[in-house]
Amino acid sequence: MELYLDSANVAEVERLARIFPVAGVTTNPSIVAVGKETLWEVLPRLQKAIGEEGTLFAQTMSRDAQGMVEEARRLRDTVPGIVVKIPVTAEGLVAIKQLKKEGITTLGTAVYSASQGLLAALAGAKYVAPYVNRIDAQGGDGIRTVQELQTLLELHAPDTMILAASFKTPRQALDCLLAGCEAITLPLDVAQQMLNIPAVESAIAKFEQDWESAFGQLTL
Ligand code: E4P
């Protein structure tokens, strides 16, 4: 599977990419806007933070297909291995089909239903990103949507994978992986929650205490 960090904070990405086995970094316009740097400034810095082998994702801003395609070409020219995130609208589907012809890898984003995700896959997106927590927040069932989409892709579009997104808790992410998703992207706080378990610290402290009282030191 592929694990991504959902952030454009270069310092934090650098710090967490040292710890977590990450495949790369996903961004969206809101995430990039937080840092005030332009996308063109921050993308090379993020690439450096995750290393040459890491994959970057960046989203187009145009509403029309032609604009999306032109922005995608510029993104590809700036970062050759980039995956271009295209919102799955009617125009987005037109753009995804065109970009597939041009060999530019896409992710269908802003996916709120299984049918929308399936359409993006059939249009040629390599990834589709259902927004798990946002679906829950509007009264839907994010995990169920992911489960349905996963089954649909396995049956009808096996070359496309779900990159599940929009998480508030590690539980949501694990449920997506249990549903068979091959990729997830985590906000930094959710990634850190996966390791912040108070019982682990107290278990290690007890090992240290027992060791030190027996051997008078904290090394082997
Ligand atoms: C990914 O494609 C999305 O941009 C992102 O995960 C949305 O996350 P949010 O709902 O926490 O803003």
Side-chain angles (χ1 to χ4, degrees), residues 17-39:
R18 177 178 163 269
I19 298 167
F20 288 88
V22 294
V25 160
T26 59
T27 66
N28 66 32
S30 303
I31 287 172
V32 173
V34 170
K36 304 282 193 288
E37 269 182 298
T38 70
L39 186 61

Side-chain angles (χ1 to χ4, degrees), residues 154-177:
E154 284 167 13
L155 289 171
H156 304 295
D159 294 338
T160 301
M161 67 176 98
I162 293 180
L163 194 164
S166 180
F167 294 116
K168 288 289 167 281
T169 67
R171 183 73 252 167
Q172 291 172 319
L174 291 184
D175 283 343
C176 288
L177 294 171

